[in-house]
Amino acid sequence: DSGVTQTPKHLITATGQRVTLRCSPRSGDLSVYWYQQSLDQGLQFLIQYYNGEERAKGNILERFSAQQFPDLHSELNLSSLELGDSALYFCASSSRASYEKLFFGSGTQLSVL
Amino acid sequence: DQQVKQNSPSLSVQEGRISILNCDYTNSMFDYFLWYKKYPAEGPTFLISISSIKDKNEDGRFTVFLNKSAKHLSLHIVPSQPGDSAVYFCAAQSSNNDMRFGAGTRLTVKP
């Protein structure tokens, strides 16, 4: 158990819909990362937050947004969903902003039908 | 933008032999490198790391080698065990960068 909790584990929705993925980092960790893993693809970096502030942005679509709340949990919002958004979404946390290993949750499997 | 590349999607080795997984990076600002291991239906778990001030780091059966001039790192597993069968991801980071991952290499260790 990494200590990082992601909910829900599975999500099935239709095109055009909006969903929210939730992540609770390890206790004390200030940094939260979101990654997308599509079929046979590596981990594509989406966005990183550190202590409530956006720190880095990767290949995150404009239809996607995220935030980190004062209690340090984070949410990833995906809107106007398309079939291609079907993927495994991972959240990871670390205590520092950089130079430290990440602890990953078990992921949210999103299926857009 | 593939700043971290793992060009071998899969690798198969015999139990007891050495497994060598390779990784290349393009961003010269990266100075901290990690390997993660991922089993099906689980998130990646940290395996071993190395900073750019070193060229080798060892932890039990796992050794990571870094060649900065070639922008190349490798993970050696000796001896390989069937339980090592998993997908291995290489990752890289700098002080101003998020952590970037390669596409992964699926290692199969045959008994």
Side-chain angles (χ1 to χ4, degrees), chain A residues 40-86:
Chain A
D40 293 333
Q41 297 291 312
L43 294 162
Q44 299 296 318
F45 171 71
L46 296 178
I47 199 164
Q48 179 196 4
Y49 282 84
Y50 180 76
N51 203 20
E53 300 286 328
E54 182 184 301
R55 184 176 183 273
K57 216 168 191 177
N59 301 322
I60 187 167
L61 300 172
E62 284 192 14
R63 301 184 284 109
F64 295 1
S65 65
Q67 55 183 326
Q68 186 179 29
F69 294 87
D71 68 352
L72 301 176
H73 92 271
S74 177
E75 292 180 356
L76 178 67
N77 300 296
L78 315 177
S79 61
S80 303
L81 284 168
E82 302 175 359
L83 296 177
D85 297 328
S86 296

Side-chain angles (χ1 to χ4, degrees), chain B residues 3 10 12 20 25 28-29 45-46 62-63 68 77-79 82:
Chain B
Q3 297 185 47
S10 63
S12 181
I20 300 176
Y25 60 97
S28 58
M29 298 300 292
T45 55
F46 170 76
F62 302 92
T63 302
K68 281 191 68 179
I77 306 174
V78 183

